[in-house]
Amino acid sequence: MTDPKPETTESAKLRSRALARWDTEGGAGPDGPQKSDLSADLTSNTLAQSEIDLERLHIRVIALESLVIALLAGGSDAQRDLARDMAGYIAPQPGSTQHPLTAQVSHQMLTSIERAGQLGERR
């Protein structure tokens, strides 16, 4: 039987940090995981803040998308063609499988470029 691979210094440091957090962030006690009302309050506050942050991010993404559409509408056909080409390059990294979100990104880009073309025609 061979000895297991010796642990690298970096992985030992990571494990040590994780275990140190376990002691200070409500890790398991002698009777199992510790529970407190404070941790429940922190969790609900964290979730509420996460939802607020997500909504703000959503608003910013919509604003940025609208700005890009406006810029592409004022751009040339060559610039919109370049953006279409870029949408075609969106693909998983070599050796990875196609992820549904990757296909959605490409489709969303093409939709935005189409909207920009229609907006540009109305000007």
Side-chain angles (χ1 to χ4, degrees):
M1 182 158 115
T2 62
D3 289 325
K5 182 178 175 184
E7 198 169 356
T8 65
T9 305
E10 186 62 26
S11 64
K13 287 179 186 177
L14 289 172
R15 182 183 283 95
S16 177
R17 277 189 261 166
L19 291 173
R21 284 194 314 267
W22 182 264
D23 292 335
T24 60
E25 295 178 358
D31 298 324
Q34 299 174 12
K35 298 195 191 272
S36 72
D37 291 338
L38 178 61
S39 67
D41 289 343
L42 289 174
T43 302
S44 72
N45 286 340
T46 301
L47 287 174
Q49 186 62 44
S50 294
E51 290 173 7
I52 291 168
D53 290 343
L54 187 59
E55 184 64 24
R56 288 179 182 157
L57 180 61
H58 189 187
I59 291 167
R60 292 178 74 181
V61 168
I62 292 169
L64 285 170
E65 181 183 33
S66 298
L67 284 171
V68 168
I69 289 170
L71 291 170
L72 283 171
S76 67
D77 288 337
Q79 289 169 321
R80 285 189 290 275
D81 288 342
L82 181 62
R84 278 187 201 89
D85 289 346
M86 185 61 200
Y89 283 113
I90 295 178
Q93 294 190 1
S96 299
T97 57
Q98 178 77 4
H99 191 278
L101 290 178
T102 305
Q104 289 178 14
V105 168
S106 181
H107 176 73
Q108 182 60 44
M109 284 180 69
L110 293 171
T111 300
S112 296
I113 296 163
E114 181 64 29
R115 288 176 57 198
Q118 292 169 358
L119 181 61
E121 291 171 359
R122 286 192 264 156
R123 292 180 35 187

